C-alpha cells in the first residue's frame, strides 16, 4: 500500500502532473473514437470513484479532500471528467453521422415542441433535484468557521478561495502583476474575443469535433489543463509555504525545497560571457527584454509567414494578430513552467527595482 | 342527477374534481387568464400571459429541451442565483458587517438558529453556482453556440462569469474568520501589483509629479478595493455592500439581457 501511495505522491509532482494532464488531453483528442463509448465512460467513473474511496482510507488524503471548502472541488473533478467525456462522445457520434451524410443528431431533432409542458416540466424537475441535492449537502456538511480574524496570525498556507487557486499557482512562475492582474485580464478579454476571432462557420449549434478541431483542442487546453487542473493542483497538492505535497503526504511545516533559481541575466552575462552583471539594469536585462519583444512582436509575424499561413488567409491580418497574441499569452504559462523545470530559470526579465519581472 | 354525472365521467378522482372546480373559480380565473393548458391554443396563452413563463418562447426546437444538449447548466445557474438571493436575504436579517459583530453573528447563526442550514445553503449554493456557470460556458463552447448570431450573448455571459466569481469572492470575507481574511488578503494583494495603479506595480513609479509619488500604498488599486491598506473594517463594509447590493444588481440586469438575447437570437441554438 505504501508503495502505491508513493507512486501517486511521485506522479502528483507538479512537473509529472502537468505532463500527464497534457498527455490526457492529447489522448482524449487523438483516441476520441475509442473513448467515446459508454464502457470507457463507466470505466473512468469507476476508476475515479475507486481512487477517492480507497484514498479516503489514508488520513492525510482524507484530511485534504474532506476540508469543507474542498468538497466542491472533488465534485468539480467528477463533473468535469464526466462532461468532457460526454461532450466528446456526442461530438464523435455526430461526426460519424456527418461523415455518413446524415447530419448531426440535433438536426434530426429540429422539429419544434411545446414549451408547455415539455420544457417547463424539465425545468421543474431539474429545480427539484437541484434543491434536494443542495439541502442534503447543507445538512450533511457544515459550513466552515475558523478562529476569529486575527491579523497577527498568518495561517500557513494562506490560500485564496479555491476558484482562484489556478491563479495562485501561477504565482510560482510569474510575479503578481502578471499572474494576478495582466494574465487574468487577458483571460477575460480572450474569452470575450472568442466569437469575434473564430470565423469557422461550421459547428454552430451541435456537438462536433472534426469540424472544429483546433478551436476545441485549444479551449480544452486552456479550460481543462490550465485553469481547472491547476486549481486541483493548488487545492490538493500545495501545502505550507506553497510547497508541493503528494496526496498521501503529511503537510510538514518544515519541508524544505531547495530554491536555486537563476535569472536569465545571470545565465547570459556571468555564465555565458564570464563577466560581472552590468550595473545599469536596462543593459543587464537587455537579453531578456529582446527575447520578450521577439516573442510578442516578431514571433507572430514569423509564424504568419510559415506555420500559421493558412490562418492569416482564413482570418485576415487583424483577427490573426489578435488570435496569435492571445494564443502566445496563453502559452506563456507552460513555456515559463518548462523553463523553470528544465533550466531553473527564475526571471527572463528581472528588474525588481521597478517591479518589472517577467 | 348525481349518479348521472358519475356515469359520464366515472374515472375522475376527488382530486381531479377539486382541481376542475378550483380552476373555474373567479379567484383563479382572475389570476390565470386562460384555460388549463391542454389544448394548443391554451399552451400558447399560458406562455404569453404569464410574466415568468414569457421569458420562454411558445415552441422550441426539440434538441433544445433535451438535457443531452444543454445539460440544463444555464438554467441551474439561474436557479442557484435565485436560491442564493433568497438565502442571502435571510442571512442579512442576522448579520451585521462590523468588526464587533460580524464573527459573532455567524457563530450565533450556527448555534442559536434552530435547524439553521441557511448559511450552508448559501455557501454550498455559491460554490455550486461557480461550477455550473463554468460547465454552462463549456457546453456553450462545445456546441459552438457562441457563433453568429450569438456572439454578444457570449460576451454578456463572460461578464456574468466574472461577476459570479466576484460575488463569491466578496462573500468569502463576510464570516470574518481566519479563513476569510487571509483568503481575501492573498487575493487582494494582487491589486498591489497592478501596472501603473498599484504601488508595487511596474510603471507606478513613473506616475509622479517631480518628487511626489502619485501612487502609494494609501491610494492605489488595492486601497480602492479594500478601503484601507489592509483587510480591515473598510474592506468588510465595501465587500458587504458590493456583495449584497452592487454585484447582485449588476448580474440581475445582465441576466435579463442574457435571457432576452437567448430568445432574440433565435432561441437555444441548433443546426441551421
Ligand atoms: C450567471 C450565469 C449565467 C446564467 C444564469 C445563464 C443562463 C443561461 C440560460 C438559462 C440559457 C439557456 C440555455 C441553457 O440553459 O443552456 C443560456 C444560454 C446561453 N448562455 Fe448563459 N448563463 C450564464 C452565464 C453564461 C456564460 C459564462 C456564458 C459564456 C461565456 C454564457 C453564454 C451563453 C450563450 C452563448 C447562450 C446561448 C446558447 C444557445 O443558444 O445554445 N452564459 N444562459
Amino acid at each position: 500500500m505504501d508503495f502505491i501511495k508513493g507512486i501517486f505522491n511521485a506522479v502528483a509532482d507538479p512537473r509529472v502532473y502537468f505532463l500527464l494532464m497534457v498527455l490526457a488531453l492529447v489522448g482524449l483528442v487523438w483516441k476520441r473514437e475509442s473513448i467515446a463509448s459508454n464502457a470507457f465512460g463507466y470505466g473512468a467513473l469507476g476508476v475515479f470513484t475507486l481512487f477517492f474511496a480507497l484514498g479516503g482510507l489514508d488520513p492525510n488524503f482524507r484530511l485534504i479532500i474532506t476540508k469543507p471548502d474542498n468538497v466542491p472541488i472533488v465534485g468539480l473533478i467528477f463533473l468535469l471528467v464526466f462532461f468532457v467525456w460526454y461532450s466528446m462522445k456526442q461530438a464523435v457520434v455526430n461526426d460519424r453521422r456527418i461523415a455518413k451524410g446524415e447530419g448531426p443528431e440535433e438536426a434530426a431533432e429540429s422539429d419544434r415542441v411545446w414549451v408547455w409542458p415539455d420544457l417547463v416540466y424539465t425545468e421543474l424537475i431539474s429545480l427539484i433535484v437541484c434543491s434536494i441535492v443542495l439541502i442534503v449537502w447543507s445538512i450533511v456538511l457544515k459550513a466552515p468557521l475558523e478562529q476569529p480574524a486575527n491579523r497577527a496570525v498568518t495561517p500557513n498556507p494562506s490560500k485564496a478561495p479555491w476558484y482562484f487557486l489556478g491563479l495562485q499557482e501561477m504565482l510560482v512562475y510569474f510575479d503578481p502583476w502578471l499572474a494576478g492582474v495582466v494574465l487574468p485580464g487577458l483571460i477575460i478579454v480572450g474569452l470575450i474575443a472568442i466569437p469575434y476571432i473564430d470565423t469557422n462557420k461550421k459547428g454552430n449549434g451541435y456537438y462536433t469535433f472534426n469540424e472544429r478541431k483546433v478551436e476545441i483542442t485549444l479551449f480544452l487546453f486552456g479550460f481543462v489543463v490550465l485553469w481547472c487542473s491547476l486549481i486541483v493542483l493548488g487545492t490538493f497538492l500545495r501545502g505550507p509555504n506553497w510547497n508541493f505535497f503528494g496526496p498521501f503526504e503529511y503537510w510538514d511545516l518544515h519541508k524544505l525545497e531547495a530554491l536555486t533559481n537563476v535569472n536569465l541575466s545571470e545565465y547570459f552575462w556571468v555564465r555565458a560571457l564570464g563577466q560581472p552583471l552590468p550595473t545599469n539594469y536596462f543593459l543587464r536585462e537587455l537579453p531578456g527584454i529582446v527575447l520578450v519583444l521577439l516573442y510578442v512582436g516578431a514571433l507572430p509575424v514569423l509564424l504568419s509567414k510559415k506555420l500559421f499561413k493558412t490562418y492569416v488567409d482564413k482570418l485576415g491580418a487583424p483577427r490573426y494578430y489578435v488570435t496569435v497574441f492571445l494564443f502566445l499569452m496563453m502559452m506563456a504559462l507552460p513555456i515559463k513552467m518548462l523553463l523553470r523545470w528544465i533550466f531553473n530559470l527564475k526571471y527572463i526579465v528581472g528588474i525588481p527595482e521597478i517591479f518589472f519581472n517577467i | 342527477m348525481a349518479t348521472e354525472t358519475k356515469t359520464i365521467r366515472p374515472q375522475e378522482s376527488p382530486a381531479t374534481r377539486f382541481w376542475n372546480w378550483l380552476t373555474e373559480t373567479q379567484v383563479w380565473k382572475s389570476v390565470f387568464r386562460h384555460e388549463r393548458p391542454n389544448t394548443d391554443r391554451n399552451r400558447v396563452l399560458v406562455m404569453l400571459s404569464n410574466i415568468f413563463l414569457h421569458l420562454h418562447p411558445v415552441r422550441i426546437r426539440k434538441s433544445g429541451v433535451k438535457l443531452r444538449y444543454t445539460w440544463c447548466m444555464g438554467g441551474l445557474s439561474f436557479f442557484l442565483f435565485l436560491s442564493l438571493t433568497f438565502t442571502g436575504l435571510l442571512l442579512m436579517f442576522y448579520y451585521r458587517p462590523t468588526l464587533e459583530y460580524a464573527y459573532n453573528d455567524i457563530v450565533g447563526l450556527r448555534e442559536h438558529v434552530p435547524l439553521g442550514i441557511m448559511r450552508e445553503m448559501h455557501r454550498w449554493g455559491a460554490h455550486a453556482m461557480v461550477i455550473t456557470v463554468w460547465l454552462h460556458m463549456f457546453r456553450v463552447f462545445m456546441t459552438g453556440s457562441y457563433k453568429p448570431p450569438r456572439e454578444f450573448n457570449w460576451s454578456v455571459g463572460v461578464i456574468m462569469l466574472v461577476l459570479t466569481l466576484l460575488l463569491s469572492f466578496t462573500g468569502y470575507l463576510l464570516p470574518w474568520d481566519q479563513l476569510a481574511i487571509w483568503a481575501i488578503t492573498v487575493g487582494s494583494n494582487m491589486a498591489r501589483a497592478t501596472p501603473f495603479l498599484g504601488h508595487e506595480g511596474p510603471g507606478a513609479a513613473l506616475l509622479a509629479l517631480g518628487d511626489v509619488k502619485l501612487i502609494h500604498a494609501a491610494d492605489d488599486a488595492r486601497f480602492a478595493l479594500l478601503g484601507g491598506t489592509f483587510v480591515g473594517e473598510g474592506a468588510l463594509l465595501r465587500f458587504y455592500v458590493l456583495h449584497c447590493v452592487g454585484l447582485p444588481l449588476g448580474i440581475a440586469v445582465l441576466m435579463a439581457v442574457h435571457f432576452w438575447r437567448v430568445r432574440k437570437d433565435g432561441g437555444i441554438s441548433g443546426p441551421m
Side-chain angles (χ1 to χ4, degrees):
Chain A
M1 207 58 197
D2 280 342
F3 176 67
I4 301 177
K5 285 181 189 169
I7 294 181
F8 276 110
N9 284 343
V11 162
D13 176 273
R15 288 161 284 195
V16 188
Y17 174 88
F18 188 75
L19 194 72
L20 284 180
M21 287 295 153
V22 175
L23 286 180
L25 176 64
V26 173
L28 175 78
V29 167
W30 186 31
K31 289 282 166 207
R32 59 185 181 281
E33 288 284 336
S34 24
I35 284 170
S37 68
N38 284 341
F40 183 89
Y42 290 126
L45 189 70
V47 170
F48 269 89
T49 316
L50 200 68
F51 174 73
F52 276 96
L54 287 183
L57 298 175
D58 177 273
N60 293 316
F61 187 80
R62 199 164 56 230
L63 201 65
I64 181 77
I65 60 164
T66 56
K67 209 165 159 273
D69 273 341
N70 289 352
V71 170
I73 303 152
V74 178
L76 175 69
I77 295 178
F78 278 91
L79 287 170
L80 195 72
V81 170
F82 173 76
F83 279 115
V84 168
W85 168 79
Y86 190 54
S87 54
M88 223 39 184
K89 180 189 146 188
Q90 299 198 59
V92 168
V93 170
N94 274 347
D95 286 341
R96 286 188 195 134
R97 290 176 58 110
I98 294 169
K100 277 192 251 158
E102 288 172 3
E105 212 161 325
E106 287 84 355
E109 293 172 344
S110 62
D111 48 330
R112 311 231 157 198
V113 295
W114 291 105
V115 165
W116 185 296
D118 289 48
L119 179 58
V120 178
Y121 276 76
T122 313
E123 286 175 347
L124 185 70
I125 294 167
S126 321
L127 192 152
I128 294 172
V129 171
C130 177
S131 312
I132 294 176
V133 170
L134 194 57
I135 290 173
V136 170
W137 184 4
S138 302
I139 293 175
V140 173
L141 193 67
K142 275 246 149 285
L145 188 65
E146 297 188 351
Q147 294 300 308
N150 183 351
R151 296 215 322 120
V153 183
T154 314
N156 189 3
S158 286
K159 290 191 178 185
W162 62 268
Y163 33 83
F164 289 148
L165 288 189
L167 301 177
Q168 200 173 348
E169 175 66 19
M170 277 211 295
L171 283 175
V172 175
Y173 307 97
F174 288 114
D175 268 19
W177 75 277
L178 280 172
V181 185
V182 173
L183 293 177
L186 283 175
I187 296 177
I188 298 171
V189 173
L191 281 175
I192 292 181
I194 287 177
Y196 302 98
I197 54 183
D198 175 5
T199 53
N200 181 357
K201 295 237 165 17
K202 289 196 198 147
N204 182 348
Y206 52 94
Y207 290 94
T208 172
F209 184 81
N210 287 349
E211 294 183 351
R212 306 168 56 212
K213 286 184 183 148
V214 179
E215 303 148 73
I216 292 187
T217 312
L218 279 181
F219 191 81
L220 284 174
F221 182 69
F223 177 61
V224 180
V225 177
L226 290 185
W227 183 258
C228 294
S229 88
L230 288 190
I231 286 178
V232 172
L233 175 69
T235 311
F236 295 134
L237 305 175
R238 292 291 186 182
N241 307 322
W242 209 252
N243 279 337
F244 159 75
F245 291 87
F248 302 106
E249 198 175 334
Y250 171 69
W251 280 18
D252 182 359
L253 273 176
H254 306 291
K255 176 168 176 170
L256 279 183
E257 278 191 2
L259 283 177
T260 50
N261 296 332
V262 181
N263 286 346
L264 183 72
S265 50
E266 164 99 15
Y267 269 118
F268 184 81
W269 297 106
V270 182
R271 302 208 185 166
L273 300 184
Q275 292 182 355
L277 282 178
T279 42
N280 178 313
Y281 65 67
F282 184 71
L283 184 63
R284 184 187 74 211
E285 299 303 330
L286 198 59
I289 294 175
V290 170
L291 266 188
V292 171
L293 286 181
L294 284 180
Y295 184 72
V296 228
L299 193 58
V301 183
L302 279 181
L303 290 172
S304 75
K305 298 273 182 287
K306 284 224 116 131
L307 198 60
F308 290 173
K309 189 154 181 354
T310 43
Y311 293 106
V312 188
D313 299 341
K314 239 189 266 174
L315 300 176
R319 280 207 181 85
Y320 166 79
Y321 282 108
V322 173
T323 313
V324 167
F325 174 73
L326 291 170
F327 172 71
L328 290 179
M329 286 298 118
M330 176 164 97
M331 296 314 284
L333 177 61
I335 290 176
K336 188 78 193 279
M337 288 173 152
L338 285 180
L339 291 175
R340 174 69 54 83
W341 297 335
I342 300 173
F343 303 111
N344 283 326
L345 185 76
K346 188 165 165 59
Y347 292 129
I348 299 171
V349 177
I351 316 183
E353 291 89 338
I354 55 166
F355 303 111
F356 189 76
N357 303 318
I358 298 176
Chain B
M1 283 301 276
T3 43
E4 214 176 74
T5 331
K6 236 180 182 169
T7 45
I8 293 169
R9 288 188 288 198
Q11 71 278 40
E12 278 188 356
S13 64
T16 321
R17 263 183 293 155
F18 174 72
W19 173 245
N20 288 345
W21 168 80
L22 183 72
T23 53
E24 294 298 324
T25 56
Q26 186 189 357
V27 175
W28 182 278
K29 289 192 137 183
S30 71
V31 180
F32 301 101
R33 290 241 173 262
H34 47 77
E35 313 270 308
R36 273 166 260 135
N38 45 16
T39 65
D40 286 357
R41 184 184 136 77
N42 286 329
R43 284 184 182 143
V44 176
L45 284 177
V46 70
M47 300 311 295
L48 293 185
S49 63
N50 184 312
I51 179 146
F52 301 107
L53 292 179
H54 98 282
L55 273 175
H56 297 89
V58 172
R59 280 160 71 73
I60 184 175
R61 205 178 267 112
K62 195 165 165 198
S63 62
V65 303
K66 292 253 162 124
L67 277 181
R68 186 176 71 62
Y69 186 71
T70 65
W71 311 342
C72 203
M73 281 302 159
L76 284 184
S77 307
F78 182 53
F79 169 64
L80 285 168
F81 176 74
L82 291 182
S83 102
L84 285 165
T85 311
F86 178 68
T87 51
L89 188 96
L90 293 182
L91 290 176
M92 283 174 77
F93 290 150
Y94 287 93
Y95 174 85
R96 288 160 290 180
T98 60
L99 297 194
E100 197 182 349
Y101 294 120
Y103 182 78
N104 288 336
D105 285 347
I106 300 286
V107 174
L109 263 170
R110 120 177 325 205
E111 284 174 4
H112 305 310
V113 182
L115 299 177
I117 56 165
M118 282 311 129
R119 197 178 153 232
E120 279 70 21
M121 299 247 318
H122 199 72
R123 195 178 187 97
W124 305 142
H127 286 332
M129 182 171 165
V130 171
I131 295 177
T132 57
V133 172
W134 288 357
L135 291 175
H136 172 58
M137 176 181 78
F138 181 56
R139 159 337 250 176
V140 170
F141 187 88
M142 293 304 275
T143 56
S145 304
Y146 58 84
K147 300 189 176 201
R150 298 185 178 78
E151 310 99 305
F152 177 68
N153 220 13
W154 167 273
S155 314
V156 173
V158 175
I159 306 290
M160 289 202 292
L161 170 75
V162 175
L163 289 183
T164 307
L165 293 180
L166 287 180
L167 268 166
S168 210
F169 185 67
T170 47
Y172 214 81
L173 179 64
L174 302 183
W176 205 248
D177 60 347
Q178 282 289 75
L179 197 62
I181 69 153
W182 289 103
I184 303 307
T185 303
V186 170
S188 59
N189 270 346
M190 297 299 118
R192 209 159 51 178
T194 315
F196 299 109
L197 297 180
H199 75 282
E200 287 180 6
L206 298 177
L207 296 182
L209 291 176
D211 282 346
V212 186
K213 275 195 172 182
L214 290 184
I215 302 292
H216 46 78
D219 72 349
D220 68 346
R222 189 178 60 135
F223 191 91
L225 186 67
L226 297 182
T229 51
F230 54 87
V231 179
E233 189 147 35
L236 183 57
L237 186 60
R238 265 175 211 214
F239 276 44
Y240 177 77
V241 172
L242 284 176
H243 185 77
C244 299
V245 186
L247 296 170
L249 274 181
I251 204 169
V253 170
L254 287 182
M255 278 186 191
V257 175
H258 196 63
F259 299 153
W260 178 252
R261 286 300 293 248
V262 170
R263 287 205 52 191
K264 291 292 141 182
D265 295 340
I268 309 249
S269 57
M272 302 289 166

